[in-house]
Amino acid sequence: VATVSRVIAKNPVVQEATRERVEAAMKELDYVVNGLVQSMQGKGSRAVGFLVYEMVGPTFADLASGVEEGASESRDLMTILTTHGNPDREWQAIQQMREQRARAVLLVGATPTGPEFVERLKRYRDFLATVGTKLILCARGPVPGVPGVASVYYENRLGMRLATEHLLSLGHRRIVFLGAEANHSTAEDRLAGFLDAFEAAGVEPVEELIVRTAFDAEPAQKALDQLVRSAVPFTAVVAARDELAVRALRVFRSHRIQVPEGVSLVGFDDMLFVGDLTPSLTTVRVPYRELGRRAGRLLDDKADPDAAELLPVELVIRDSTAPLRQ
Amino acid sequence: VATVSRVIAKNPVVQEATRERVEAAMKELDYVVNGLVQSMQGKGSRAVGFLVYEMVGPTFADLASGVEEGASESRDLMTILTTHGNPDREWQAIQQMREQRARAVLLVGATPTGPEFVERLKRYRDFLATVGTKLILCARGPVPGVPGVASVYYENRLGMRLATEHLLSLGHRRIVFLGAEANHSTAEDRLAGFLDAFEAAGVEPVEELIVRTAFDAEPAQKALDQLVRSAVPFTAVVAARDELAVRALRVFRSHRIQVPEGVSLVGFDDMLFVGDLTPSLTTVRVPYRELGRRAGRLLDDKADPDAAELLPVELVIRDSTAPLRQ
DNA sequence: TTGTATGCGTTATCAT
DNA sequence: ATGATAACGCATACAA
């Protein structure tokens, strides 16, 4: 048994001849090591938990794809769990990963922002630490006051600032912000970037144009429709993400408002096909795949447990934005 | 130890008082069962392997989402592995799942169609069977001559037949088929459906309009561009999948050909946003999420190992198709 | 270089 | 109802 174990571990002490005999027998018997027992032995599990709100859209797929790419290099296995925004499910998922003695748990996507979440995160971190599992935030910046949690994120706030500055530079002033959800890290950062742009330009944002519905598409669409009907004047719309921008497009189409002639529109994420819409959508490209890859690399045992990698974004100017007509 | 084990297993023989004491201690010590050992003990592993070509697009996300939904009900863990179409990687992935003593392995998406693949599939099946892992095909019909492999698939061929019949009924005869890749189960089925429609209508398909490039977007786009330049006449295009349809849209736009006035276009998959394109795309909706859910249910131990579930598709008629102008 | 013995954390079997 | 013990398949320290 010990020799077999050594052959499996590629321990060089075994003699060539012996190894060959063992390997022949393994093939003969269709033998495979029991990975579960290996992990149990303290070699550490191969599992990596990928916790996400929902598996939706190319942003998720790209991110997961990147992680898988990194994980597969080290023969790790990526396990995906969805939380549907339910804290109980999230806790249950953390539990499951703890049972599996996962190498790491990736918390993917936006999180709440309140102090309640900070405590929750600490609990997760400590709870996972007891079995040697580390916690990594993905697509969400490091949380102040919670060391020992690595993070890989992108210039969310700056991205939205760039998008907004683009509109301001085109002469727009009455700009709608669509999708300002509170207590939602991504939405908050993007709104902050929006406000940054106004502040830097010395322009006052119009409070009533900040649509504080939610990050979800349906309510945002309704709210925008309402706004259009209310006849409150505006000349441009910043959508918190591409899906909302597409909904905005539908609203404008239904009201026979031309984009960009009647109103300019920018999105965020650069999802698949938004460049093929009419008009093609000006948006902010986020390197989701690379984000995943970086996260995948943090799985390595010798990675800095306090790493905080920030990736750049890029404003992609297409046809949905045009200079303000006087 | 035994009592603790019984508490974990919720074995009702333990007395109320004892159980409470144990649970108190567990909380005190932040104890969690070692799931790896549980699985090793013959309880069977919780892992479910999801083998896919690539994690791309909403079709993947929907399918995976469905599987996760089903799996999480039984506390199973979905592990995603990508093969990139590389048989070696696929074999390696099978190996890994075998090491993990996975409950099941899902082979997701198209497969090759030749006899070589049939042998490969049998090898997978038998190899996995030695450790009690079952094999399930997802989004691909059952393979004749390979019993013991369940499958969940959709009316692929019929879907394309419906799409094509829609065009034929509009008067189109010179119809391009874009993306006829050989030795690719999905592409072959769709081409077959295309031909079915012609046969049923008693119309002869035009061989030179069948673009036998590949299922990939880039070569298909180039080939279509070539075809347009060659001035071979056609009045409609059937794309093997939506991504190719979107590429076709780009080609027509670059040649200033109006859709549907100059040429009608249909896709397949009903991906996100294709209804928001201009013109909105006529396509075939595939219930990917439900497909995943069904696959997730086949994970159950008492599920029929030879199950073959077929799901219906739906033709979604939008604005990219119009009657032929004489 | 190879074989033997021990331990890992759990469940199942058998006593008590 | 509970406790003691064997067994699972592997890695590792130690003996040969």
Side-chain angles (χ1 to χ4, degrees), chain B residues 278-290:
Chain B
T278 309
S280 59
L281 190 68
T282 293
T283 188
V284 178
R285 181 174 299 153
V286 181
Y288 284 110
R289 192 178 206 107
E290 181 61 20

Side-chain angles (χ1 to χ4, degrees), chain B residues 5-27:
Chain B
S5 177
R6 281 188 273 261
V7 170
I8 292 167
K10 301 198 194 305
N11 187 327
V13 300
V14 291
Q15 275 200 323
E16 183 63 22
T18 323
R19 201 189 59 215
E20 278 172 12
R21 279 198 302 146
V22 171
E23 280 171 348
M26 294 203 306
K27 186 157 291 177

